Amino acid sequence: MLAGLVLRKQGIEVEWITFETPFFSAVKARRASDTTGIPLTVKNITPVYLKMLKDPHCGYGKHMNPCLDCHALMFRLAGSIMPAAGFDFLFSGEVLGQRPMSQTRQSLRYVEKHSGFNGYILRPLSARRLPETMPEKEGLINRELLLDIAGRSRKPQIKLADEFGIKDYPAPAGGCLLTDKNYSNRLRDLFDHQKTYTEAELHLLAHGRHLRLDENAKIIVGRTQQDNENIIKYHNPKEDNVIKVNNYPGPIVLMPRGGKKDSIILAASICAGYSKAPDLAPVEVQAVTPQGHETIKVLGILPQEVKHLII
Ligand code: SF4
């Protein structure tokens, strides 16, 4: 927001582009656009993002976050529409030294080089600490009116937001599932066991408990009503099995892309174990598969007995 407003203050027409995948959304960007009136384009980039995510040139951060290659890809995609849209350069709100991995001088340089738009990426908040960019050299921008913020403190940004009268701004960081430990474990497991993934499958990784039963079958057990709703929302009735205990409250259990009969029975027993059905008595469980409905009688397996299966 601040980078856009700093440029707009010197009379430059700015627009934003932001990207969506199952790992991060455009919610904050939409809010920022509403607050400032800066026009926003939102693009879903899941297929091209996944390709990069499988094998990022610079590797991952603490979890499955490929921050440097993520930034480079986003600039590359933004740059690819820049000339046709009639714009002269790219800019971002990155601040030198703000993040340990992605905003060091070296990282900013890496991103620029690998984006394919060397010299055309301006970081208005730190510009006076960085080499001059093409738009500055060409006189499109007055470098003197750009800023020299650096480091981890947010105080200068908070002060600047105040000067611009911006009160509604999102908390720094957060929001990318690739920086979440549990999500990253599940994603790695998915990469290890499947060659292709739908967007819905990637959304499912954020909901419920995930248990790997064997090389070909995993289940997702709803922990809350919200989990159960999301499991149903993102499941694929043409391929997945949905398992639920009859007559007692209990979780929805999803077996994405189905599984063999013995996996379904194991899933049904786990489902019964997580339900309110009495222990040590046979429980009726319903399995809905693409082939039809089936009722199975099983003995519940208690959650502590399947802890080792949790991904
Ligand atoms: S935190 Fe997520 S969205 Fe942000 S740069 Fe890293 S991988 Fe990309």
Side-chain angles (χ1 to χ4, degrees):
M1 287 167 95
L2 295 174
L5 293 172
V6 163
L7 291 179
R8 202 165 67 173
K9 197 174 165 194
Q10 61 166 284
I12 292 163
E13 187 188 339
V14 293
E15 285 195 15
W16 282 326
I17 181 159
T18 195
F19 302 104
E20 270 184 328
T21 66
F23 316 118
F24 43 80
S25 80
V27 171
K28 286 181 183 175
R30 286 201 165 96
R31 233 171 76 197
S33 175
D34 288 345
T35 308
T36 57
I38 294 177
L40 171 72
T41 301
V42 178
K43 264 188 183 294
N44 184 311
I45 55 165
T46 305
V48 61
Y49 197 88
L50 270 176
K51 224 168 140 194
M52 176 277 292
L53 183 60
K54 288 280 295 195
D55 188 17
H57 200 256
C58 259
Y60 303 101
K62 196 166 174 205
H63 300 297
M64 286 290 276
N65 48 313
C67 295
L68 290 189
D69 292 294
C70 172
H71 278 206
L73 173 65
M74 289 182 181
F75 276 119
R76 179 152 58 79
L77 296 172
S80 69
I81 63 162
M82 178 175 76
F87 290 98
D88 301 298
F89 62 93
L90 302 167
F91 76 95
S92 79
E94 288 162 305
V95 166
L96 183 63
Q98 187 157 86
R99 299 275 167 86
M101 179 178 165
S102 61
Q103 283 165 226
T104 61
R105 195 173 284 275
Q106 217 181 2
S107 305
L108 296 180
R109 184 73 199 114
Y110 172 91
V111 166
E112 189 172 343
K113 252 174 85 184
H114 287 79
S115 69
F117 292 92
N118 215 348
Y120 284 89
I121 298 180
L122 180 74
R123 280 93 174 197
L125 302 184
S126 294
R128 281 179 22 223
R129 290 176 182 264
L130 296 168
E132 224 180 342
T133 57
M134 288 308 281
E136 290 163 277
K137 286 181 190 160
E138 288 165 4
L140 294 174
I141 297 169
N142 182 349
R143 185 172 169 90
E144 295 310 308
L145 298 177
L146 300 175
L147 305 179
D148 61 355
I149 303 175
R152 297 180 71 93
S153 164
R154 306 267 169 180
K155 279 192 192 137
Q157 288 93 316
I158 291 169
K159 189 164 162 269
L160 194 58
D162 213 39
E163 281 166 30
F164 281 119
I166 302 276
K167 295 204 169 25
D168 173 32
Y169 51 83
C176 174
L177 287 168
L178 298 173
T179 61
D180 180 273
K181 182 170 179 273
N182 291 333
Y183 188 91
S184 294
N185 288 343
R186 295 164 185 178
L187 181 62
R188 214 171 285 120
D189 173 82
L190 192 73
F191 282 176
D192 288 345
H193 291 90
Q194 284 180 208
K195 285 203 172 70
T196 59
Y197 338 90
T198 63
E199 276 195 41
E201 282 175 311
L202 296 167
H203 282 294
L204 276 171
L205 298 182
H207 305 289
R209 277 184 197 86
H210 291 232
L211 291 85
R212 176 146 299 280
L213 306 188
D214 60 44
E215 283 306 300
N216 300 312
K218 82 162 187 182
I219 55 171
I220 305 170
V221 182
R223 281 171 304 193
T224 59
Q225 184 58 27
Q226 189 67 45
D227 275 346
N228 288 343
E229 283 167 18
N230 281 313
I231 287 171
I232 292 303
K233 176 177 165 192
Y234 291 117
H235 93 290
N236 176 1
K238 290 200 181 108
E239 289 197 19
D240 303 345
N241 298 342
V242 180
I243 295 161
K244 201 173 173 332
V245 163
N246 283 344
N247 307 322
Y248 295 97
I252 301 273
V253 170
L254 185 74
M255 185 178 281
R257 302 196 181 197
K260 294 206 179 105
K261 183 78 188 182
D262 53 347
S263 301
I264 295 176
I265 291 170
L266 177 57
S269 310
I270 294 172
C271 181
Y274 273 108
S275 78
K276 296 260 191 288
D279 304 342
L280 307 173
V283 183
E284 266 190 17
V285 179
Q286 194 178 106
V288 180
T289 70
Q291 287 73 43
H293 292 219
E294 191 182 349
T295 301
I296 318 167
K297 259 197 180 159
V298 292
L299 280 179
I301 300 180
L302 293 176
Q304 57 265 33
E305 288 168 38
V306 289
K307 248 183 172 170
H308 62 286
L309 300 179
I310 290 181
I311 301 166

